[in-house]
Short mmCIF file of all heavy atoms in Angstrom, two decimals:
data_model
loop_
_atom_site.label_atom_id
_atom_site.label_comp_id
_atom_site.label_asym_id
_atom_site.label_seq_id
_atom_site.Cartn_x
_atom_site.Cartn_y
_atom_site.Cartn_z
N MET A 1 -33.21 20.47 -13.74
CA MET A 1 -32.20 20.90 -12.76
C MET A 1 -31.03 19.90 -12.80
O MET A 1 -31.22 18.73 -12.44
CB MET A 1 -32.83 20.94 -11.35
CG MET A 1 -31.87 21.31 -10.23
SD MET A 1 -31.33 23.03 -10.36
CE MET A 1 -30.34 23.18 -8.90
N GLY A 13 0.66 16.70 0.31
CA GLY A 13 2.09 16.52 0.11
C GLY A 13 2.58 15.40 1.02
O GLY A 13 1.77 14.69 1.64
N GLU A 60 8.96 -5.48 11.47
CA GLU A 60 8.79 -6.81 12.06
C GLU A 60 8.17 -6.78 13.45
O GLU A 60 7.58 -7.75 13.89
CB GLU A 60 10.16 -7.52 12.10
CG GLU A 60 10.71 -7.67 10.67
CD GLU A 60 11.89 -8.62 10.56
OE1 GLU A 60 13.02 -8.12 10.79
OE2 GLU A 60 11.69 -9.81 10.30
N ASN A 172 -3.76 1.08 -6.72
CA ASN A 172 -3.48 0.10 -7.78
C ASN A 172 -4.76 -0.37 -8.47
O ASN A 172 -4.72 -0.72 -9.66
CB ASN A 172 -2.74 -1.10 -7.17
CG ASN A 172 -2.08 -1.96 -8.25
OD1 ASN A 172 -2.52 -3.06 -8.52
ND2 ASN A 172 -1.04 -1.43 -8.87
N LEU A 260 -6.95 19.92 -12.19
CA LEU A 260 -5.66 19.24 -12.03
C LEU A 260 -4.79 19.99 -11.04
O LEU A 260 -4.68 21.23 -11.11
CB LEU A 260 -4.95 19.18 -13.39
CG LEU A 260 -3.55 18.58 -13.47
CD1 LEU A 260 -3.59 17.09 -13.11
CD2 LEU A 260 -2.97 18.77 -14.86
#
Side-chain angles (χ1 to χ4, degrees):
M1 177 67 177
E60 299 193 274
N172 196 251
L260 177 65

